[in-house]
Amino acid sequence: MSEIPIVALHGNVGTADDWARLGIPNLEALDLWSFSDLSLDEFSMFLAEELVDKDERPLIAGYSLGGRLALESMARFPERWSGAVILSANPGLSDAAGRKTRFSADEEWAQKVRTVQWSDFLKEWNAQPILAGCPISEGQTALESRREAVAMGFDYWSLGHQGDLREALKSFKAPVLWISGENDSKYRAFGEEMADVFEDYRHVVLADHGHRCLSPAAAAAIADWRADQ
């Protein structure tokens, strides 16, 4: 499986460079902000039918927001992918009240993206407890010129639009690697429970990592998993 190409999707308020800098062979990191005017369904279909060579069955990989987008495509087009790598992702909300609450929160973030001074928005975004006060990256700073595309990502790709994918994902029979950070208890729990969803499944917990686990340790885990397939 090490020669199979990987299509990789970055996280929210992130860039394709977040994946590209890991140096994973045969990996194509997509710029999600070029497609954030598409709904979840539209992007899932576009990804499977237009962005990927029809003669290939690549691996799909996604971190956080990108992981949710990858899971959506895996649920809708399970035969399109030869495997998946998911990092720090939420498999969807089962209750309507929870989705409504999340959608309202993402509407507020979208408004801030559009109106607040960019440096202040980034400080607030990175100060969220789940991100453990991560520093602002150069890539995030550079997104200021694309703030409308980032805002549309909050509008169209909110978790509030995404139902519980667990049952639909049982149709995905290809190998799955799920990576979580040791210090990210909520998303580590998602990784543990997905063992009941996928048949060919490995969950790797990275020591001393939080939610942001796109790191050399993640790249090493991906390389080990691919070598074992």
Side-chain angles (χ1 to χ4, degrees), residues 23-43:
I24 298 173
N26 300 318
L27 182 143
E28 179 186 2
L30 297 184
D31 169 33
L32 291 180
W33 309 125
S34 296
F35 312 104
S36 58
D37 58 340
L38 301 177
S39 70
L40 283 168
D41 286 349
E42 289 169 339
F43 179 74

Side-chain angles (χ1 to χ4, degrees), residues 19-185:
W19 274 104
R21 62 185 171 80
L22 296 185
I24 298 173
N26 300 318
L27 182 143
E28 179 186 2
L30 297 184
D31 169 33
L32 291 180
W33 309 125
S34 296
F35 312 104
S36 58
D37 58 340
L38 301 177
S39 70
L40 283 168
D41 286 349
E42 289 169 339
F43 179 74
S44 180
M45 183 174 297
F46 188 63
L47 176 63
E49 297 186 351
E50 301 293 337
L51 288 179
V52 176
D53 189 328
K54 288 181 168 49
D55 295 327
E56 293 182 339
R57 286 185 67 233
L59 294 164
I60 188 167
Y63 158 70
S64 198
L65 166 64
R68 287 199 290 108
L69 295 175
L71 291 171
E72 187 77 25
S73 188
M74 291 160 61
R76 288 171 54 84
F77 304 96
E79 302 301 323
R80 187 68 183 88
W81 312 103
S82 63
V85 177
I86 306 297
L87 301 89
S88 300
N90 190 323
L93 299 175
S94 58
D95 64 294
R99 289 197 297 273
K100 182 177 180 180
T101 297
R102 178 56 183 264
F103 183 69
S104 295
D106 284 337
E107 281 187 317
E108 292 181 10
W109 280 117
Q111 180 69 6
K112 290 176 182 178
V113 170
R114 291 184 169 104
T115 62
V116 173
Q117 183 172 331
W118 189 247
S119 60
D120 291 340
F121 161 71
L122 291 180
K123 288 176 184 177
E124 184 176 356
W125 177 258
N126 285 3
Q128 294 177 91
I130 194 172
L131 300 180
C134 290
I136 296 170
S137 69
E138 291 183 8
Q140 289 180 321
T141 300
L143 284 174
E144 181 173 10
S145 63
R146 307 181 71 190
R147 55 198 301 164
E148 180 58 28
V150 175
M152 286 192 291
F154 281 104
D155 289 336
Y156 296 128
W157 296 341
S158 170
L159 182 60
H161 290 311
Q162 196 159 17
D164 188 345
L165 296 174
R166 292 167 179 81
E167 192 62 34
L169 285 167
K170 291 180 179 179
S171 64
F172 192 85
K173 306 302 182 183
V176 176
L177 171 65
W178 199 286
I179 298 176
S180 307
E182 178 185 30
N183 300 327
D184 183 13
S185 59

